[in-house]
Amino acid sequence: MKKIVLSSLFLFSLACGVVACTDGMPTDNWEEPVAPSEPAATTLQGSFESKFVRYSKGQQHEGQTVAAKIATLWKDTLWQNDRTHKQIVLWSGDKKYTGLTYHVSDLMSGANTISASNIQLRFPSYVKGDDRALDCRSYENRTTTLIADALSEDPVTTLTVQDPLKIWVTVNTPANAAPGIYTGTITVKSEGEEKVALNLELCVVNHKLPDVADWKFHLDLWQFPFQLATLCRTDGEDIILFSDEYFEMMKPFYQLLADAGQKAITTYIKDGAFNTGQTMVKWSKNASGEWEFDYADFDKFVEKMMEWGIEEQINCCSLVGWNTSIGYKDASGTDRTLELVVGSTEYNAIWTDFLTSFKAHLKEKGWFDKAVLYMDEIQEEQMKAVIALIKANDENWKIGLAGGNVSLEIENALYDYSTVLGYERQSTNAVSTFYTSCSQQFPNNYVTAETSPAEMPWMAWYARAKGFKGYLRWAYDYWTQSDPADIQDGSNAAGDFNMIYRSGNTSAAVPLSSIRLELLREGIQDYEKVRILDNVQLNAAIQSFLNASSGREAAKLVGTSEKLLKELSVE
């Protein structure tokens, strides 16, 4: 009888907690605009802001003219082992503030504590974005807009009248956090002792998010590991590819990617898979005219990526790359290039030699089942020829394609098939994802004044609605500009070539995450939560994402769906 009484009291306390958690629940969901009120006072002020608002230089917070838009309390609902984001904006209407300092308190819920060390403050810094979101090759005459997207860990200590200060707040909920409502404060002080205090009220529910390695979502952001070594130098000297120094430099960049839930390693099996002079497998011909293959760099890269947490799949690019030639060294050590026609007798003979050697090597390493021979936007006739070649070598090879407009016969031969957003595939594949390319203006990962960061979590919600396993994007770190803040490239939209940033151009450079990557990761968390809850009401609501054009309303759709997800998490 005593146990029954205790259980009843416990259930009563949980019920009370549910009411408190859902009270005032909107976090970043879309809201109707409120009527204007008197402008805010001109002293040091601050407000919580939606994570879906990405600021251009000089852009004001709504609270500077509409007092009702100032929010000094953040209420949210968190799972255990969760990561949640919010934004703070500080402003001054009358003077410059210097010597700003930041204090984050522990979060308290009765006798339970979430240490302040679980709360991270980063400072969105400006990069060269675009004013408009346009499609491929439409930026010959562009207008640059400075947009806050790179997340710096260096505290900003000065606030001017002209430009509000942005703070990106990240709360990492411990996996063992006791359920309950936790309160705390974030305080900003100026040198003159003026301060802004902002309050947190975070409800931790009795649901636990799996560790990143156990997420089911298939994230495939293609890596370009040659770019960083090309741009960064040590004492004026090039960094030797695949050296200890190289891997020491690359490690934090790809650990950041692993932490986002990345499943696939991008490898280069021939020169010209993407760019010339970039291969992880060295091809050569001996004096007898036989092909020889050196896998040392390939092995080092794969082993390091697995060590850093990316180990589910090895994408091997590519039997048909950005060109179809083969770069190699002849018996004298001279660099040669052999032009090939896909499907020709010579093409088939050379690639059969390679596949036979490569298969034996992968099996020796225990990687054959992880390897996928991956192609990018290859059309029908070439894909038919490549598939026939591969399957003639070994039926057990896995084949991948990012593209579309191919026959059902080809689709069915693919292990990993990523279709461009909006393309309706006919097949069911072991790994089914979608991707956005430069042909989509909305949604995409662009950094423009027109686009919303909410387009990044939208990707995961859309994948869930379509029954896909994940999302692919062609460039995690394809930097081509020497200025780390310059992400404009040629005639493509800013951000098309990168998802993260680097701090500089030396081997000491560190990765800077982006608002885009953080929100893509948060969307993947939502995907996992929806999968775990498997709630009828939530599954029905997700159908609103089925139309690709719904990406234009990403902030509204994601905000509304996140709100429902959080409400159902406390039931």
Side-chain angles (χ1 to χ4, degrees), residues 141-159:
N141 301 303
R142 71 197 322 150
T143 301
T144 297
T145 301
L146 295 179
I147 298 174
D149 187 60
L151 296 177
S152 171
E153 298 193 22
D154 296 331
V156 176
T157 59
T158 301
L159 170 63

Side-chain angles (χ1 to χ4, degrees), residues 37-43 45-50 53-67 69-70 87-95 126 145-146 148 159-166:
S37 61
E38 290 300 315
T42 57
T43 54
Q45 292 197 62
S47 175
F48 284 112
E49 173 62 283
S50 169
V53 177
R54 185 169 54 199
Y55 277 76
S56 300
K57 190 172 180 63
Q59 180 180 340
Q60 291 191 336
H61 184 273
E62 291 177 300
Q64 293 179 253
T65 54
V66 181
K69 286 292 186 179
I70 298 176
Q87 196 169 192
I88 292 171
V89 180
L90 303 173
W91 64 87
S92 167
D94 59 352
K95 66 178 182 179
Y126 294 115
T145 301
L146 295 179
L159 170 63
T160 65
V161 174
Q162 293 78 20
D163 193 33
L165 189 157
K166 279 69 65 177

Side-chain angles (χ1 to χ4, degrees), residues 331-347:
S332 69
T334 303
D335 289 323
R336 303 286 187 186
T337 300
L338 180 62
E339 300 294 337
L340 295 172
V341 176
V342 176
S344 67
T345 301
E346 186 179 26
Y347 177 93

Side-chain angles (χ1 to χ4, degrees), residues 92-128:
S92 167
D94 59 352
K95 66 178 182 179
K96 179 179 180 180
Y97 287 92
T98 58
L100 297 177
T101 58
Y102 306 89
H103 176 72
V104 179
S105 75
D106 292 338
L107 300 177
M108 305 299 300
S109 177
N112 297 314
T113 302
I114 295 177
S115 169
S117 63
N118 292 284
I119 304 173
Q120 182 182 19
L121 303 184
R122 286 173 288 181
F123 299 83
S125 58
Y126 294 115
V127 298
K128 293 181 181 179

